[in-house]
Amino acid sequence: MPQLAYVNGRIQPLAQASLHVEDRGTQFGDAIYEVCAVLNGRILDWQPHLVRLRRNLGELGITLGVADGPLTLQARRLIERNGHTECIIYMQISRGTAKRDHAFPSDAPANLVMTVRRFDFAQRIKQLATGIAVITQPDNRWGRVDIKTTGLLANVLAKQAAKEAGAFEAWLVSGETVREGSSTNAWIVKDGRIITHPTGTAILPGIARDSLIRLAQGAQLMVEERPFTLAEAMHADEAFLSSTTAPILPVVRIDGQAVGSGTPGPVTARLAELTWNEVARQTGWRA
Ligand code: PMP
């Protein structure tokens, strides 16, 4: 079955799907995006993703002429037409196509594109047993990384550095503070307390992060939303990361140094159990 993409109201073969060369997403990174997980054919945490998408549009003053209802239907239709039950859906909205000029165009409608890719979530469950390694990189990003824009060059370079070092992720460090990963939120555990950077303008408010906080609190685990330093992370009992495509993964090495025992810890394991139970509750999916 050929892969299908959605471009401004039309579903078409991915190979032929395109935007104009003067799309502002291409020229300025003047675009926002969302990535949602689909398990058992159902979109996980759809409502929070929609809320974040609308907030991001509002922050940038981009007007999308598609309401939540039709957007939801179109997203579901694209998933169904692609025929994958385990996949991710990528949605991107740019300010539109216009003659290149930094200031906003007055009459360009936003461009909405969506793509769907098969995704193996079961691999994330296998990775719980081994954990993954991260390296650190300087946080070179702009001051509003809470807005999920396609301007991801600093994230791209950090992720490439991680890949070249044989690591799964790069943790972005500003001064002494660990902000988050290049495409994931960062967490440590110390003396039973679960610590992650607070939301604000310095991190992307992850949907998986939010879900983890609620699940942890519901299970009477202690969560502290506060900045933590790289030194704290190096001396933590456990560490982990979270994102839509990696809802929770134990971090067992930072810059080559073992975290705690160097193996996935019990608090992370408990959170993983809560997380995957929540996935099953919402979607019916089990590995
Ligand atoms: N931080 C950054 C920089 C990201 O790109 C992502 C992934 N979008 C996340 C955190 C995790 O966010 P989410 O849980 O919504 O996938």
Side-chain angles (χ1 to χ4, degrees), residues 114-133:
M114 295 192 265
T115 55
V116 170
R117 284 274 149 75
R118 187 198 296 274
F119 193 84
D120 177 17
F121 289 97
Q123 71 176 311
R124 298 299 186 225
I125 300 206
K126 292 192 197 106
Q127 285 170 308
L128 290 174
T130 51
I132 54 87

Side-chain angles (χ1 to χ4, degrees), residues 33-35 49 52 141 145 148 152 155 172 180-185 203-210 242-245:
Y33 73 103
E34 279 296 323
V35 178
H49 279 282
R52 185 170 68 182
R141 301 172 299 165
V145 297
K148 198 166 165 63
L152 291 173
N155 309 59
L172 305 176
E180 60 180 332
S182 72
S183 65
T184 57
N185 288 112
I203 66 159
L204 193 278
I207 303 299
R209 175 190 177 282
D210 209 48
S242 67
S243 77
T244 293
T245 56

